[in-house]
């Protein structure tokens, strides 16, 4: 069952053994109760969101958004504008992948991160 869910929503690039490892980590010895507690504990108040956005605005490190083209959980058309504004970015990168895009496009993601680091280093040297 978990393998089918992973293939449908999570990633294209996973076999049954890897999916079983995800399930074991997610569910753990308590059959997933700790994970459910974490998911239910996410604070969703306006005050919390304001604090997060304020912290992102004054960050001293570079940021980028890398999106899975076929993410069924977070559609870029809906969420990207909010993230771009929060991070004060003009655009985002799209790679092949679903929700666990690192499983589908690890090399592309590594390349984008390396490019960000390289550009950040060049910008820091010019200061």
């Amino acid at each position: 069952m978990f393998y089918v869910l992973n293939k449908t929503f999570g990633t294209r690039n996973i076999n049954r053994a890897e999916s079983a490892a995800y399930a074991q980590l997610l569910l753990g010895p308590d059959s997933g109760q700790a994970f459910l507690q974490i998911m239910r504990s996410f604070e969703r108040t306006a005050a919390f969101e304001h604090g997060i956005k304020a912290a992102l605005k004054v960050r001293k490190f570079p940021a980028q958004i890398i999106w899975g083209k076929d993410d069924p959980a977070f559609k870029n058309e809906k969420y990207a504008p909010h993230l771009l504004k929060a991070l004060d970015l003009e655009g985002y990168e799209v790679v092949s992948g679903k929700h666990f895009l690192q499983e589908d496009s690890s090399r592309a993601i590594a390349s984008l991160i390396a490019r960000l680091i390289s550009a950040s280093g060049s910008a820091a040297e010019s200061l």
Side-chain angles (χ1 to χ4, degrees):
M1 175 74 169
F2 198 77
Y3 176 71
V4 172
L5 286 172
N6 234 339
K7 290 290 279 187
T8 303
F9 298 103
T11 178
R12 292 182 187 95
N13 187 23
I14 196 164
N15 61 41
R16 288 186 185 278
E18 292 166 334
S19 185
Y22 264 103
Q24 186 175 9
L25 290 169
L26 183 68
L27 299 176
D30 66 355
S31 299
Q33 292 304 307
F35 174 73
L36 288 174
Q37 183 178 351
I38 290 168
M39 297 306 291
R40 291 177 181 140
S41 297
F42 282 120
E43 190 169 341
R44 295 180 293 216
T45 65
F48 182 77
E49 184 175 334
H50 176 74
I52 293 291
K53 287 179 177 179
L56 291 173
K57 289 283 185 203
V58 298
R59 73 183 189 283
K60 302 281 190 236
F61 52 87
Q64 70 178 332
I65 300 168
I66 304 173
W67 216 289
K69 184 176 74 121
D70 299 315
D71 187 337
F74 296 111
K75 302 287 186 186
N76 59 359
E77 300 86 9
K78 180 177 180 179
Y79 294 102
H82 303 288
L83 290 171
L84 291 169
K85 185 176 179 183
L87 292 167
D88 197 25
L89 297 174
E90 293 182 14
Y92 58 93
E93 304 292 340
V94 177
V95 299
S96 176
K98 294 184 179 183
H99 192 64
F100 302 125
L101 60 145
Q102 72 281 3
E103 298 288 353
D104 292 323
S105 294
S106 58
R107 290 177 193 233
I109 293 168
S111 177
L112 290 166
I113 293 169
R115 188 174 77 191
L116 176 70
I117 292 168
S118 177
S120 299
S122 298
E125 289 171 8
S126 66
L127 293 177

